[in-house]
Structure formats: C-alpha cells, structure tokens
Amino acid sequence: MENLQEIQTRVEAAINAASDLAALDEVRVAALGKKGEVSLIMRTLGGMTPEQRTEFGPKLNALKNQLNEAVATRREILEEQALNARLASEVIDVTLPASPTPTGSIHPVSQVFAEAAVIFGDMGFAVAEGPDIETDFYNFTALNFPPKHPARDMHDTFFFEPGEDGARKLLRTHTSPVQIRTLQAAVQRAEKSGAALEPIRIIAPGRTYRCDSDQTHTPMFHQVEGLVIDRETHMGHLKGCLADFVSAFFETSVKTRFRPHHFPFTEPSAEMDIGYERVGDEIRIGQGDKWMEILGCGMVHPNVLRSVGVDPDIYQGFAFGMGVDRLAMLKYGIPDLRDFFASDQNWLTHYGFSPLSQPNLSTGLSS
Ligand code: PHE
C-alpha cells in the first residue's frame, strides 16, 4: 500500500521533469501503458480477497486518475511551450518584398477599343453601344440597303429562326445599326424637350458577325463605328478627323488616301488607305509608297436620315467604320488573326496590356 504513495511521488516527479512531449509520453507509457507499472498492479486485483480488493481497488483507481491528470496538465504546458518556441522562430519579416500575384492582361482588341475611345474622346466623341442581336430594320433597312441586297443573303449574315411574327433576328454584320439607334434616341430627346436636334458625335465599338472563316476572317470580329451629325458638317471634316485619328493611333505621321467606294448608307462613300512600307518581314505604317485599306466612310445618306425622321436638308454628317482586329495586328505586330480568339494564356501574357496602365482621357495613349 505504502508502495502506491511512493509510485505517485516518483511518477509525478518524472511527469513534471519531462522536458518535451516525447519524454512525457515515455513516462506515461512506463506507468499507465498496457505493460506499465500501474497497469501491472491493476492486474493483481483479480487474485486478491474481496476485502483486500475493496480497500485496494479505489486507491489504485485514484492513483491512475491522478497520474492521468498530471500527464494532461503537463502536456498542456509543454504544448504551449512548443507553440511559443515555434512562434519565436518563425518571425515574419514584413520588410521582404511581397511575392508577385499573377494578374490578368488586357486583350489587344480591348486595348485598341480603349485607345480609339481616348483619341476620339479628345475630339469630342462619346462612346455609344448597341445590341449584338439586331433586327433587319436596324442592320439593313434603315441603312438604305435595297430589299434584294446580297449582304442580306444567308452567305454573309447569321440569321436566327423566324420569331412568332415571322421576322428573323440576326447577328449584326457591322456596327452601323448603332448609327440608327443613336439617331433615334437623339430624335426622341429632341421631341421630348421641344428643342432642335442636338449635334451627334459618337463612336461605337463592338462585336460584329459574318459567316466567313479563313486566315484573315473570323465569324466574329470587331469594329469601331463613328457618326457625326450637325448642320454644317462636310467631307473636309470627315477627312481631317480620320487623318488625325490614324496618326494619333499609330503614333507617327501617317499618309492617307481616300478612294471612291460604295456603301448603301453613305453618299458619297470612300475607303481610306494608309501609307506603309515593307522592310524585310516588317510592315511599317506611316510613309512609304504602298497603300492599304483600313476603313470605310462617307457622308450619311439622306435616306438614312429620313428613315429616322431627320430632315437631310437641315442636318448632315459623316460616318465611318473600321476593323479593329486588323488595326491591333498592324499596330502591335500580331501575325495571325485566329490567335485573338484562341484564349492561349502565353499569347495573352505576351500580347496583352497591363490593366494598371490603360489609356484614359487625361493621360492619353502613353499612360
Ligand atoms: N459598315 C461598313 C462595313 O462594315 C463600314 C462603314 C461604316 C462604311 C460607316 C461607311 C460608313 O463595311
């Protein structure tokens, strides 16, 4: 019996002396493990007389519980010590530079949209938008396309199944429907306020669709439309505005040339070419003696103005439309149009632009 007192004193001393969790566990196993000192004494209970067992059993149990408690208390202390030691050794150096977080990049098409908005914004243009899914009226009829014009044909236009009214919606084949929507909104505002039609100066960047696919054509592509309507706007304004645009866009002095052309919604119509030269594999925009076509333009056709209730004898103006994908390829030396839409992470990282240095009206292109 006195033996138990001795065991308690000795084992508790060993528990309190354990300097780490592994040592504590050794002490615990030696006393309370399956073959531990206390467990072995427990086994002798079976061979005792009932009287001995009544006396000895509770004492032995109490010893076991006390030792278990002592182990738990010591474990808590040791665990806290271990945690404190770890905290002390794993100091964070807040002066170290942060590890870089990968950020996304701005797609060259979005970049060119932003650049166009800045350059035209400088000239007083606002940005307008319209839906990708259009009606025949906005995409063709209001733009003075004759009823049997080949562009309405299935070969160029993606049509939807006819709706309940029998009319087929379509994916807009150009951004020119935004001209009509902008004019209509301006006419409505004028009617509401009773004032004269306000001058219009907008560009409309957006997605366009044609059933066409090869090395230089994708079924979805991008355009920037422009529309200016006022009382005294003439072809000279059109030429000056677009010449200024290309030089600002290519950030160099660019030669321009206007060739007569035909669009149903402009009269007269023209295509604008820009000068370039080829140096080895490289295309240099600006001077040189070669010409490439980059946009369509013209004075807004009187029938277009009439289709939205604007009097062409009072108001006139010009419109233009250009392919953004090709402008991006030319400016940033991107060889293949199809890569624009491949979502290749490496390509996007290489040709993409920093979201933190997007062009804006106050800083211009070189922000
Ligand atoms: N919408 C024409 C096209 O897609 C471009 C254009 C727009 C031409 C405005 C003249 C005026 O080809």
Side-chain angles (χ1 to χ4, degrees):
M1 275 308 299
E2 64 283 6
N3 202 17
L4 291 192
Q5 191 55 54
E6 187 273 326
I7 293 174
Q8 175 159 6
T9 316
R10 179 166 41 79
V11 175
E12 275 184 0
I15 288 170
N16 291 331
S19 58
D20 58 31
L21 288 165
L24 177 63
D25 213 46
E26 255 173 49
V27 176
R28 184 189 61 80
V29 171
L32 303 163
K34 254 193 193 158
K35 291 181 179 156
E37 193 176 3
V38 177
S39 312
L40 290 179
I41 302 176
M42 285 280 218
R43 281 196 210 164
T44 63
L45 281 177
M48 290 180 187
T49 65
E51 294 74 29
Q52 279 176 319
R53 206 178 304 146
T54 336
E55 194 208 331
F56 207 53
K59 289 188 176 159
L60 200 54
N61 257 330
L63 170 66
K64 203 180 94 180
N65 290 340
Q66 272 160 358
L67 293 181
N68 267 326
E69 228 166 82
V71 168
T73 308
R74 183 69 186 155
R75 176 174 294 132
E76 241 172 65
I77 294 170
L78 289 174
E79 275 173 353
E80 198 181 311
Q81 278 177 5
L83 179 64
N84 284 340
R86 238 183 84 193
L87 288 177
S89 68
E90 291 177 4
V91 171
I92 295 171
D93 182 353
V94 292
T95 65
L96 284 174
S99 42
T101 326
T103 49
S105 57
I106 301 294
H107 193 284
V109 167
S110 303
Q111 174 76 15
V112 170
F113 276 159
E115 292 178 8
V118 164
I119 297 167
F120 283 111
D122 239 4
M123 299 190 232
F125 285 71
V127 172
E129 281 183 314
D132 289 15
I133 297 174
E134 271 295 9
T135 62
D136 183 86
F137 174 78
Y138 285 105
N139 199 79
F140 295 127
T141 306
L143 287 161
N144 195 37
F145 278 81
K148 294 249 152 58
H149 195 282
R152 294 177 182 234
D153 203 287
M154 286 297 273
H155 289 295
D156 288 309
T157 309
F158 289 111
F159 286 102
F160 289 85
E161 293 294 326
E164 274 167 18
D165 57 356
R168 291 181 304 176
K169 291 214 168 153
L170 51 86
L171 289 174
R172 64 179 179 189
T173 58
H174 51 180
T175 40
S176 301
V178 185
Q179 290 187 35
I180 305 301
R181 291 182 175 275
T182 305
L183 279 161
Q184 274 184 339
V187 167
Q188 265 171 26
R189 275 197 300 275
E191 277 169 1
K192 225 173 159 187
S193 67
L197 194 76
E198 69 216 46
I200 294 171
R201 263 187 216 181
I202 57 105
I203 60 162
R207 282 186 284 267
T208 47
Y209 307 83
R210 283 180 208 176
C211 189
D212 208 349
S213 185
D214 59 36
Q215 288 195 349
T216 51
H217 295 86
T218 46
M220 193 273 289
F221 56 106
H222 301 87
Q223 288 189 337
V224 169
E225 189 81 9
L227 177 68
V228 173
I229 299 290
D230 210 336
R231 288 170 189 251
E232 283 166 2
T233 309
H234 54 69
M235 193 93 186
H237 295 130
L238 159 65
K239 291 178 75 173
C241 171
L242 292 174
D244 281 355
F245 168 73
V246 284
S247 284
F249 177 75
F250 287 106
E251 299 178 56
T252 180
S253 150
V254 179
K255 280 197 310 192
T256 57
R257 173 176 90 171
F258 290 79
R259 275 181 295 101
H261 198 73
H262 172 78
F263 297 105
F265 35 93
T266 45
E267 180 59 35
S269 303
E271 279 187 334
M272 186 175 91
D273 298 340
I274 54 175
Y276 76 100
E277 61 184 336
R278 221 173 238 289
V279 184
D281 274 351
E282 198 192 329
I283 288 176
R284 284 204 196 144
I285 305 287
Q287 300 303 309
D289 53 8
K290 292 192 160 59
W291 295 103
M292 77 167 85
E293 179 257 313
I294 63 151
L295 59 81
C297 57
M299 300 306 292
V300 175
H301 197 290
N303 286 348
V304 171
L305 296 171
R306 282 188 199 106
S307 79
V308 291
V310 172
D311 184 349
D313 289 331
I314 304 176
Y315 298 98
Q316 64 290 138
F318 62 85
F320 55 87
M322 53 191 141
V324 167
D325 310 280
R326 207 158 69 96
L327 284 180
M329 290 170 77
L330 287 170
K331 179 165 178 181
Y332 294 113
I334 302 168
D336 195 327
L337 174 66
R338 288 165 297 189
D339 290 339
F340 276 67
F341 310 109
S343 301
D344 177 335
Q345 198 64 53
N346 288 332
W347 187 92
L348 290 167
T349 306
H350 180 76
Y351 286 107
F353 293 83
S354 164
L356 298 177
S357 61
Q358 281 298 283
N360 63 62
L361 262 186
S362 56
T363 55
L365 289 198
S366 53
S367 64

